[in-house]
Amino acid sequence: DINDPTCRPSRNNGNGRTVRNILEAALRRTASRVMLDYGWEDLEKFDSELDESAPIECSESSADLRCHFLQLTGTDVAKVAAFYMQQSHDDKCGGDNLEIDSDNLMKMQPEDISSAMSLFRRLKWGGASCADVASAFQKTSLLDLASQSNSGHILHGTLAPCETCMSILKAFPPNFGKLGIPEQRKFWKERKQICKGDATCTNLIVRLEQKESMLGNSYQIHNDVKRKETCMRIGIDCSKTVRQPLPQQQQLIANKKPTQENQHRNVDKVNQVKKKQTVAQKPRPNGQINVGDLGFSNRELELSKKKSITKTKTTADKLMDKLDNDYVGLKPVKVAVRELKSTIEFDTWRKRWFGPKSSLLGQSFHMQFLGNPGTGKTVVARHVGKILFHLGVISAPGDPAVPSADTGDSEAPRGKFKFKEVSRADMVGQYVGATAKKVNNAVKSALGGVLFIDEAYSLKKGGKDEFGQEAVDELIKDMENKRANVIVVLAGYTNEMKSFIESNPGFKSRVPLQFNFDDYTCDELMDIGKRQLEKKDIQMAQGTEEALKQAFRTSTGCCEAGSDCAPWRDNGNGRTVRNVLEGAYRFMASRILINQPAEVAELKNIGKAATKALQPAKLKYCTENQKKHGPVSNKCLKDASPEMLLEKGYLTSPCKKHKQLCSIVSTLDESDVMNVLQETVYQKLHHVCSPGEGETPEYDLAGLEILVRVMPTLDEQDLTVLLDSKIDCYDGTNLLKRQFNSLPQDEKDALRVDPPSVDFSCDKECCAVQEVFADIQKLVGLHRVKKTMRELYSLVQYSQLRSKLYLAPTSEQSFHMRFVGNPGTGKTVVARLVGELLLEMGAVRKDSAEAWASNRCKNKQPKNLAMQQQEINQMKKKGEAKADIIFIEASRADLVAGHSGQTAPRVINTVKQALGGVLFIDEAYSLVRHGVGDSFGLEAVDTLIKEMEDKRAQVVVILAGYEKEMDSFFASNPGFKSRVPFTFHFDDYTCADLVKIGELQLAESDLQLAQNEEQNFKGLIRFASGCCEDNNCRKNRENGNGRTVRNVVDSVVMQQTFRLSMVSDMSSLSNDDFMTLNLDDLQQATEWLTADVLGRACSPTGRIATVTDALLKGDVKTYLDGSDDDLKPITNTINKIVLARSALKGLIEGSSTVFEDCEERMQAVTGAFQAVVNNLCGPEGQIIAFHQTIESDGKYSEELMQKIEDQNSQAEALTMSLVGLRKSGTGNLLGQSFVDGSLVKTCKSSMKRLVGDNFNNVSVGELLAWGQRHL
């Protein structure tokens, strides 16, 4: 207000742009209101009877509907005002918010509306606090205040004394002392006028005026804390921030049990104060109001659904109804789309009646879709695009304009709606000039529809991404030039999208529409799950619904409606629901096939009969529906699906006649979902219980799979605790162990037995699936991999049975996997076999595979090559040819290019090569090396995630690597979690497993160990690999696992070969001689391996010798600082030496030079540690000597201080190293003084004595700082 001297403009007020935003919002509200009151039929009828030459008459009694398209009413502006009041409060205060309704605002007197707006204006721009609003609106509403005599005082005079004082200080003129008396009096008079007669406020102003001299230069204080201090100095109490309710409000607060009449009245008041948990947001610039922000009242929403605009629904109406009814949640999006639809229809009538220049739109309809993965952005973009297409907002070049009524039949001349989804790879070229062409082609392919760009911020990576910037510039140009023909939807995470839009100014004015896709609540996810089950013709047994809720809550970290929790960014939303249900289908399939074989056999016979009826039904349909006489079209026979034939009555569903039997394959049981929960808890506890590098496990992970089987017996409270995302290893395993121990012995024994699983079987004499799984079964360990493969086989068999019964398919399962474990644990071998198994089962397909006779069942194939080729040709004709297993192993070098624009095509081509098989990426985390700075690596990940989703039925992507690094890698991009449903932990092999692997490798080569040499062979493997006898020893990434066994076997075989080559008469050797590995071979291999493993470390120039020499010289810090990295070479070598003592008995000869050197080095380093402790920290050591020097001299020279500093830092490094040796367990191998910690105590006590006796209470700053640092 120009007359309000306390008001200071803000640089963020937006000026004219804010005026435009307010008017546009009010006009959108007008459009929604008018189109809600008058449908298309009403308007068409009025238009048909309209005399165009008649003037427009807009009196109160006028029946001219055109008036409603020319008038902006107070109710529309009130809606905007209410929104701004609401936003001002929410932005500043958050937490407990008011809900302000425009209808109630309009019932107030004009002066009260002005007072209410004034309060919220001061709240937004300064001068009022959240406490003021809380006081004014506590337990009441705007309507209540309007009915009270001094409501304006409540609203306008709510500032507490402290806030009033601070407000005046903020507005105090800088030259007040130089003003004349009239000007000074005018200032205080204006302050009093703000009080509007409120005595408390006026008295406070008078008091401040009297103490004007005490205000001093307070106008220069630009800090609320300083202003508050000034107010307190002049006697104003600033200790309370929230005022007590005014008398009028106290009466309302006391009525905790309102009368029935008041209760009824309160129900109608939407703006009554409610507790609503929200997160405070940044105030929007320039008064921005997005489409849908104003919203509809519940009454309006219900009315709109009842009327649906017209009795004869337009295509746009039908699509709007579908959006409302078929999509769960998304209320803000639905409201925004409804408002947008009404605005377009409103504008259509304005242009018809008042000419093109009367259009209120004049804008593009490009959009931002902001939200996390799985919130429906892609599917909604397609749906909204169709609505706008049928409203005539967009059309392909050359298409006729859409008819005004858009009734459906009249749309025939128009082209088809298009939806094109693209990524960076489709828009950024690999060389100069290619990018613009790619962008133009992408936009051209979407003309007449929507161009959807998910994770749009990936178009331009950080740093100097010239091709990416070129793509953005070209896209902005096309968005402007072709805005009548295409809608561009930019989608992605909220924060990243906001930064992307802000960093490219051209987008701001060209992308006016913003839709926020909130994460689904737990109830909404459950609703999504129910709908998906309904589409699959699957019902839930008793108790299943509650189990599903638990599964969704655990897998997504979803929030309950109205709670203040923050959902996980990587929760996956609807995509995770799909993954949970697909997991439940696996267990349901296994349960049905195992527990009810007789019923399954009967259903198979029913399915066979139904299949026989399919071809005649197709033939009948195509014969009756072809337009001309002649042979039946092959295309018609191909396109006639069972679903279509059932719908048109040419087929009868066998399940109508056999409902009871079919219910067996259509009922999801609680146990199926509980198995998903068990799998989830197993993965979670395995993760938190797995030891880090060099750590001892907290828990025996081998028993974890048995423990989770007790979950169905847990009560609801314990189950809730177990499913908590924050549960740790100790609490989780203890809860399960406690429950397990409480069970009767017979139930414990039953849980220890693996549940039955489906056998791989087929009717053929030789079955490729059986052959592949036989190879998997031969692998040592890997119990969970084998179990899951059986479950997937069950799912395929189950799906085929449902297909024969004409039941809905259980969706395309995603088979992407994460393999975590150390090198040599079989990840690559298993990946290849899993891919082949899925291909043979038909779970993975390749659309354009060359014919190939499977290399399984070789003995059943023709031996002659010509006969084999003939068989292949016959298979081609019959369409039965199978693709050979495709296994593509890729690394960062294969996927990440060195130049801009080349990475995405590399990833796409690599995935394309792997279609119909497996893409295996070992050490997948190497794709992104330097976090957000590695733009090419991030581009590879973004492209890979999109390809994994789009081609999930055609390829299995397996990401492998160390567990810790893989967790960080997955956390770096939330899209991974919901797209990779399978995680397999490849634990390090135990010694028994590795020996078994070694024996299998020997058997494959027709080799065997000599009698009684098994123990020596085991000792050699144990030494070479550092394996554990069980799962409870310290983990070491460098043990090599199966790879080390292969090296050991090769070494022993090489020694055997060398030994046999020295025999002069080869004819004297028998077959057993060539097949047997004896003690001499093992001893020679041991000598070679110990030299390889320990030779360099134990040499005079090795690490141990170097550290020993340094320690003896008193130099600790050069090689040791106490960190694990510095200690690791020493601890590994010492552990290997000690392991050799026990594992290689009988294999190390007395003359083993390497082993003798190692024993000497170990003794030498032990002595060196003890010596340096004595020299530094012992009774005759240097630190004690410093103490004695200070005591005798009584002064502190600079030279002495420097020596103390240097030696003390050496002692600190030594102490940390000794602690590290003890913690790692290596100290136990060096002697008692390392085990009991006496060496550590010696150093700590001497340093403490020096500091405590000599430097306490020393006033010299340098000494005091030194003492504080080293105490």
Side-chain angles (χ1 to χ4, degrees):
D1 189 337
I2 194 171
N3 296 317
D4 184 358
T6 65
C7 177
R8 293 170 183 262
S10 166
R11 64 182 299 181
N12 296 321
N13 66 11
N15 292 293
R17 193 170 292 123
T18 299
V19 173
R20 183 194 68 190
N21 289 336
I22 291 172
L23 289 175
E24 286 180 352
L27 289 169
R28 288 199 301 268
R29 178 59 193 171
T30 300
S32 299
R33 174 179 52 78
V34 172
M35 296 310 298
L36 186 62
D37 292 338
Y38 303 98
W40 272 101
E41 286 189 346
D42 299 326
L43 297 170
E44 286 282 7
K45 182 180 179 182
F46 170 79
D47 186 60
S48 65
E49 299 172 354
L50 177 65
D51 180 4
E52 294 185 2
S53 61
I56 301 175
E57 182 183 352
C58 293
S59 63
E60 290 187 9
S61 59
S62 173
D64 193 336
L65 297 185
R66 291 176 295 177
C67 297
H68 300 289
F69 291 79
L70 293 171
Q71 295 172 340
L72 183 65
T73 67
T75 57
D76 303 323
V77 180
K79 192 76 176 180
V80 181
F83 171 80
Y84 274 120
M85 293 164 69
Q86 184 79 61
Q87 189 195 43
S88 298
H89 181 273
D90 292 355
D91 288 340
K92 290 284 185 179
C93 307
D96 297 338
N97 290 322
L98 300 168
E99 291 193 4
I100 302 169
D101 186 81
S102 57
D103 291 341
N104 288 336
L105 189 65
M106 287 301 295
K107 294 176 184 178
M108 298 172 65
Q109 295 299 317
E111 61 270 18
D112 291 329
I113 295 177
S114 176
S115 296
M117 290 295 291
S118 176
L119 174 63
F120 284 96
R121 181 185 65 80
R122 286 182 288 140
L123 177 67
K124 181 177 180 67
W125 301 109
S129 67
C130 297
D132 299 323
V133 178
S135 293
F137 290 92
Q138 189 172 6
K139 300 287 185 179
T140 187
S141 68
L142 286 175
L143 190 57
D144 291 328
L145 294 174
S147 66
Q148 296 172 14
S149 60
N150 63 343
S151 59
H153 299 166
I154 294 174
L155 289 169
H156 206 78
T158 54
L159 284 180
C162 184
E163 280 81 1
T164 301
C165 173
M166 292 169 63
S167 174
I168 290 175
L169 292 182
K170 187 175 182 180
F172 204 64
N175 58 343
F176 189 86
K178 297 180 181 180
L179 295 177
I181 298 298
E183 287 82 359
Q184 293 182 1
R185 288 178 177 173
K186 181 181 178 182
F187 173 81
W188 290 113
K189 183 178 180 181
E190 289 170 347
R191 303 282 80 70
K192 294 169 188 175
Q193 287 174 350
I194 295 174
C195 295
K196 290 194 174 182
D198 183 81
T200 304
C201 177
T202 304
N203 292 336
L204 177 61
I205 301 294
V206 171
R207 184 179 173 188
L208 290 172
E209 184 179 7
Q210 292 171 349
K211 299 191 177 184
E212 174 190 311
S213 59
M214 295 181 65
L215 300 182
N217 291 329
S218 58
Y219 64 87
Q220 295 176 347
I221 300 173
H222 302 289
N223 182 297
D224 281 345
V225 175
K226 297 293 184 183
R227 294 191 191 110
K228 185 176 290 187
E229 290 176 357
T230 303
C231 292
M232 293 177 70
R233 280 200 304 271
I234 60 178
I236 295 175
D237 184 9
C238 287
S239 60
K240 295 181 179 179
T241 56
V242 180
R243 289 184 56 192
Q244 294 298 317
L246 298 175
Q248 297 91 328
Q249 295 167 295
Q250 288 176 343
Q251 183 177 0
L252 290 168
I253 297 169
N255 294 332
K256 294 184 179 179
K257 294 183 179 179
T259 63
Q260 187 173 357
E261 180 182 354
N262 286 338
Q263 283 182 329
H264 178 73
R265 184 174 175 228
N266 287 340
V267 169
D268 295 331
K269 291 183 298 188
V270 182
N271 82 323
Q272 188 167 358
V273 176
K274 298 178 181 178
K275 288 209 167 183
K276 183 176 66 175
Q277 297 293 339
T278 62
V279 179
Q281 302 175 351
K282 286 185 177 180
R284 296 178 185 173
N286 307 326
Q288 178 184 350
I289 303 181
N290 294 325
V291 176
D293 276 348
L294 300 183
F296 292 90
S297 67
N298 291 333
R299 178 187 64 81
E300 291 171 331
L301 285 174
E302 287 302 316
L303 181 60
S304 67
K305 289 179 181 178
K306 287 179 181 178
K307 291 187 65 174
S308 237
I309 305 300
T310 178
K311 293 177 183 178
T312 306
K313 293 184 178 180
T314 67
T315 304
D317 294 332
K318 293 174 184 176
L319 289 168
M320 191 68 234
D321 290 344
K322 186 176 177 64
L323 180 64
D324 282 332
N325 300 325
D326 292 0
Y327 295 90
V328 176
L330 304 175
K331 183 176 178 181
V333 176
K334 293 174 182 177
V335 169
V337 174
R338 187 171 291 281
E339 183 181 291
L340 186 61
K341 175 177 175 291
S342 297
T343 304
I344 294 168
E345 291 173 331
F346 181 86
D347 200 64
T348 299
W349 286 106
R350 278 183 58 88
K351 288 186 288 186
R352 178 183 294 193
W353 288 330
F354 313 125
K357 292 184 178 180
S358 67
S359 174
L360 299 174
L361 294 179
Q363 63 176 35
S364 64
F365 288 86
H366 305 307
M367 307 173 185
Q368 296 179 60
F369 278 18
L370 312 181
N372 288 333
T375 47
K377 297 188 294 293
T378 306
V379 68
V380 170
R382 185 188 300 270
H383 201 90
V384 171
K386 286 182 179 179
I387 292 175
L388 298 181
F389 175 80
H390 287 289
L391 287 172
V393 171
I394 50 169
S395 59
D399 275 356
V402 62
S404 60
D406 186 25
T407 55
D409 295 336
S410 56
E411 294 176 22
R414 305 190 75 228
K416 289 185 178 181
F417 169 76
K418 297 177 183 178
F419 184 86
K420 180 71 174 179
E421 185 175 357
V422 296
S423 63
R424 176 184 168 94
D426 304 302
M427 304 187 75
V428 178
Q430 302 180 50
Y431 50 85
V432 176
T435 296
K437 186 177 180 180
K438 275 196 164 191
V439 173
N440 293 333
N441 288 338
V443 174
K444 185 178 179 180
S445 68
L447 294 180
V450 169
L451 180 66
F452 183 80
I453 309 174
D454 200 7
E455 298 192 14
Y457 35 78
S458 66
L459 287 179
K460 184 180 184 300
K461 298 294 184 181
K464 193 177 180 180
D465 183 6
E466 294 179 357
F467 290 168
Q469 185 61 54
E470 182 185 357
V472 168
D473 295 340
E474 193 68 25
L475 176 63
I476 289 173
K477 185 176 76 173
D478 278 355
M479 288 168 66
E480 179 68 20
N481 296 337
K482 298 180 174 66
R483 65 179 184 272
N485 305 120
V486 67
I487 292 175
V488 176
V489 177
L490 307 174
Y493 301 120
T494 302
N495 293 335
E496 286 86 338
M497 280 299 300
K498 287 183 177 179
S499 299
F500 176 62
I501 297 295
E502 288 293 328
S503 63
N504 294 277
F507 279 128
K508 283 186 178 181
S509 57
R510 290 172 177 85
V511 188
L513 304 177
Q514 177 179 305
F515 296 85
N516 294 294
F517 288 71
D518 297 331
D519 289 300
Y520 291 110
T521 65
C522 295
D523 288 340
E524 288 172 343
L525 289 176
M526 189 64 217
D527 196 3
I528 292 172
K530 286 180 179 179
R531 294 184 184 212
Q532 290 188 14
L533 289 173
E534 187 178 344
K535 287 180 181 177
K536 307 300 178 190
D537 297 323
I538 294 175
Q539 57 191 355
M540 290 184 284
Q542 187 175 1
T544 306
E545 183 171 343
E546 188 57 39
L548 265 181
K549 284 181 181 178
Q550 290 276 24
F552 294 153
R553 190 179 296 114
T554 303
S555 302
T556 65
C558 62
C559 300
E560 301 293 348
S563 70
D564 59 349
C565 84
W568 303 340
R569 193 183 186 208
D570 61 351
N571 68 10
N573 288 288
R575 196 173 290 128
T576 300
V577 170
R578 183 191 73 192
N579 291 342
V580 169
L581 289 177
E582 287 176 348
Y585 298 154
R586 286 200 332 263
F587 294 112
M588 178 171 68
S590 298
R591 172 179 55 79
I592 293 169
L593 296 179
I594 293 169
N595 296 343
Q596 296 175 284
E599 290 85 349
V600 169
E602 190 174 351
L603 284 170
K604 285 182 178 179
N605 292 329
I606 294 171
K608 285 181 181 178
T611 303
K612 289 181 181 178
L614 179 59
Q615 197 61 29
K618 285 186 172 186
L619 188 60
K620 183 180 180 181
Y621 166 77
C622 292
T623 303
E624 293 180 358
N625 289 276
Q626 66 181 1
K627 295 181 179 179
K628 56 184 179 180
H629 296 288
V632 174
S633 164
N634 288 329
K635 184 178 185 304
C636 178
L637 292 172
K638 183 179 179 181
D639 294 342
S641 65
E643 294 79 14
M644 186 264 287
L645 295 174
L646 285 169
E647 183 181 347
K648 294 183 177 294
Y650 288 88
L651 267 181
T652 302
S653 171
C655 286
K656 283 188 176 180
K657 184 178 179 181
H658 305 280
K659 287 184 180 179
Q660 192 67 30
L661 269 176
C662 286
S663 67
I664 292 172
V665 293
S666 301
T667 304
L668 187 67
D669 192 72
E670 181 183 5
S671 63
D672 306 325
V673 182
M674 184 56 69
N675 279 322
V676 176
L677 284 172
Q678 288 179 28
E679 193 172 70
T680 302
V681 171
Y682 173 85
Q683 297 288 0
K684 185 194 306 182
L685 290 180
H686 192 288
H687 171 66
V688 298
C689 294
S690 293
E693 174 73 1
E695 296 178 352
T696 303
E698 293 183 52
Y699 176 75
D700 180 6
L701 297 175
L704 186 57
E705 188 169 3
I706 295 173
L707 275 188
V708 296
R709 293 173 186 168
V710 306
M711 284 177 57
T713 67
L714 293 173
D715 59 33
E716 185 176 352
Q717 183 178 355
D718 282 346
L719 186 61
T720 302
V721 171
L722 185 64
L723 296 176
D724 191 326
S725 61
K726 297 178 182 178
I727 195 166
D728 58 22
C729 178
Y730 178 82
D731 291 335
T733 54
N734 272 5
L735 190 154
L736 291 172
K737 280 191 277 189
R738 187 168 60 249
Q739 181 68 12
F740 183 84
N741 293 331
S742 69
L743 298 176
Q745 188 59 44
D746 59 335
E747 293 186 26
K748 292 180 184 178
D749 294 339
L751 290 176
R752 290 190 178 99
V753 178
D754 289 338
S757 55
V758 175
D759 289 328
F760 286 83
S761 60
C762 63
D763 300 330
K764 300 177 183 177
E765 182 179 351
C766 177
C767 185
V769 172
Q770 285 179 320
E771 296 294 318
V772 178
F773 189 75
D775 284 351
I776 295 177
Q777 196 67 30
K778 292 175 186 176
L779 299 175
V780 177
L782 305 174
H783 171 71
R784 290 192 66 81
V785 176
K786 297 171 185 177
K787 174 177 174 290
T788 304
M789 291 304 107
R790 289 185 181 276
E791 291 165 1
L792 293 178
Y793 177 72
S794 300
L795 181 61
V796 171
Q797 294 290 305
Y798 166 78
S799 299
Q800 291 173 354
L801 177 58
R802 284 180 60 89
S803 176
K804 291 177 181 178
L805 295 170
Y806 303 142
L807 294 172
T810 52
S811 79
E812 291 183 333
Q813 168 85 51
S814 173
F815 293 104
H816 303 310
M817 302 176 184
R818 173 167 57 157
F819 285 8
V820 293
N822 290 333
T825 48
K827 298 189 293 293
T828 307
V829 173
V830 171
R832 187 183 296 272
L833 288 171
V834 164
E836 186 176 3
L837 183 64
L838 293 173
L839 179 65
E840 295 290 359
M841 290 193 303
V844 178
R845 68 173 186 268
K846 184 179 180 182
D847 289 341
S848 57
E850 292 183 8
W852 185 272
S854 176
N855 58 8
R856 297 287 174 176
C857 306
K858 292 179 181 178
N859 57 329
K860 303 300 178 186
Q861 293 181 1
K863 300 295 182 182
N864 184 282
L865 290 178
M867 293 175 63
Q868 191 174 28
Q869 185 59 48
Q870 185 179 359
E871 182 183 274
I872 293 173
N873 292 335
Q874 290 175 352
M875 292 170 68
K876 281 183 178 180
K877 290 180 181 179
K878 294 179 181 179
E880 297 175 353
K882 291 186 177 181
D884 189 31
I885 177 63
I886 296 173
F887 187 84
I888 304 297
E889 190 168 356
S891 63
R892 177 183 169 93
D894 303 303
L895 299 172
V896 180
H899 301 284
S900 181
Q902 296 179 355
T903 294
R906 274 197 184 191
V907 175
I908 292 172
N909 290 334
T910 304
V911 173
K912 186 177 180 180
Q913 293 172 27
L915 294 181
V918 172
L919 173 60
F920 182 78
I921 307 175
D922 201 5
E923 298 189 11
Y925 36 78
S926 66
L927 290 180
V928 182
R929 284 181 175 165
H930 307 295
V932 294
D934 184 8
S935 60
F936 293 160
L938 291 173
E939 180 182 354
V941 169
D942 294 339
T943 308
L944 178 63
I945 287 176
K946 184 177 185 301
E947 290 293 292
M948 288 168 66
E949 178 68 14
D950 295 346
K951 299 179 174 66
R952 65 179 184 273
Q954 299 170 259
V955 65
V956 177
V957 176
I958 299 179
L959 306 168
Y962 297 125
E963 183 165 13
K964 183 178 178 182
E965 286 84 343
M966 286 296 289
D967 287 341
S968 300
F969 178 55
F970 268 52
S972 69
N973 193 310
F976 271 128
K977 185 178 178 181
S978 58
R979 289 175 173 86
V980 184
F982 296 97
T983 295
F984 295 108
H985 293 88
F986 287 70
D987 295 325
D988 288 329
Y989 289 110
T990 63
C991 291
D993 290 337
L994 291 179
V995 170
K996 189 174 181 180
I997 291 172
E999 291 171 347
L1000 287 172
Q1001 291 180 2
L1002 290 175
E1004 287 175 357
S1005 302
D1006 292 327
L1007 293 169
Q1008 63 184 8
L1009 294 169
Q1011 192 173 2
N1012 300 326
E1013 294 304 326
E1014 290 82 1
Q1015 195 61 34
N1016 284 332
F1017 183 63
K1018 178 181 178 181
L1020 186 55
I1021 288 177
R1022 186 179 165 211
F1023 166 75
S1025 67
C1027 61
C1028 303
E1029 296 294 347
D1030 52 35
N1031 287 318
N1032 290 321
C1033 72
R1034 299 178 186 278
K1035 302 295 180 182
N1036 185 355
R1037 288 183 174 181
E1038 299 172 0
N1039 69 9
N1041 289 289
R1043 204 166 291 153
T1044 299
V1045 173
R1046 168 60 65 189
N1047 293 338
V1048 169
V1049 169
D1050 289 346
S1051 178
V1052 177
V1053 171
M1054 182 178 67
Q1055 295 304 324
Q1056 182 218 34
T1057 303
F1058 179 75
R1059 173 174 58 81
L1060 294 177
S1061 69
M1062 302 302 292
V1063 177
S1064 57
D1065 184 7
M1066 299 295 290
S1067 62
S1068 64
L1069 299 176
S1070 65
N1071 286 340
D1072 284 346
D1073 291 327
F1074 286 102
M1075 295 174 61
T1076 304
L1077 305 175
N1078 61 23
L1079 177 61
D1080 184 58
D1081 301 329
L1082 293 171
Q1083 286 179 332
Q1084 293 300 319
T1086 300
E1087 183 70 21
W1088 186 86
L1089 284 171
T1090 51
D1092 181 57
V1093 174
L1094 296 174
R1096 183 173 181 181
C1098 296
S1099 69
T1101 58
R1103 181 74 172 196
I1104 294 184
T1106 304
V1107 171
T1108 300
D1109 293 342
L1111 291 176
L1112 291 174
K1113 296 175 182 177
D1115 181 7
V1116 180
K1117 291 183 65 178
T1118 300
Y1119 295 103
L1120 297 175
D1121 60 4
S1123 67
D1124 292 339
D1125 290 340
D1126 274 358
L1127 287 172
K1128 194 172 180 179
I1130 299 173
T1131 57
N1132 284 353
T1133 303
I1134 293 173
N1135 289 335
K1136 280 289 186 184
I1137 295 170
V1138 174
L1139 177 60
R1141 291 175 184 166
S1142 60
L1144 301 180
K1145 287 180 181 178
L1147 289 175
I1148 297 178
E1149 299 178 348
S1151 59
S1152 174
T1153 305
V1154 173
F1155 195 70
E1156 288 176 357
D1157 290 344
C1158 286
E1159 289 283 5
E1160 289 178 7
R1161 298 299 175 201
M1162 186 171 168
Q1163 293 174 9
V1165 78
T1166 302
F1169 270 112
Q1170 293 170 334
V1172 75
V1173 168
N1174 288 331
N1175 290 338
L1176 275 175
C1177 310
E1180 305 296 328
Q1182 295 182 42
I1183 292 179
I1184 298 299
F1186 291 142
H1187 172 68
Q1188 294 170 349
T1189 300
I1190 293 170
E1191 282 191 334
S1192 61
D1193 295 352
K1195 56 184 178 181
Y1196 313 87
S1197 66
E1198 184 176 342
E1199 182 181 358
L1200 178 61
M1201 281 304 305
Q1202 187 59 51
K1203 289 181 180 179
I1204 293 175
E1205 180 83 29
D1206 293 342
Q1207 294 305 314
N1208 197 73
S1209 63
Q1210 295 279 358
E1212 281 183 335
L1214 176 60
T1215 303
M1216 293 297 294
S1217 298
L1218 291 169
V1219 170
L1221 288 171
R1222 187 182 180 190
K1223 182 180 177 182
S1224 68
T1226 305
N1228 300 345
L1229 310 174
L1230 298 178
Q1232 187 61 32
S1233 59
F1234 291 85
V1235 176
D1236 60 19
S1238 57
L1239 294 177
V1240 175
K1241 292 175 185 176
T1242 299
C1243 276
K1244 284 187 175 181
S1245 62
S1246 61
M1247 287 189 288
K1248 186 175 181 181
R1249 182 180 175 188
L1250 174 64
V1251 175
D1253 289 358
N1254 299 113
F1255 298 146
N1256 275 350
N1257 302 318
V1258 173
S1259 59
V1260 181
E1262 183 179 352
L1263 293 178
L1264 183 58
W1266 187 91
Q1268 291 295 324
R1269 221 170 33 243
H1270 297 286
L1271 263 173

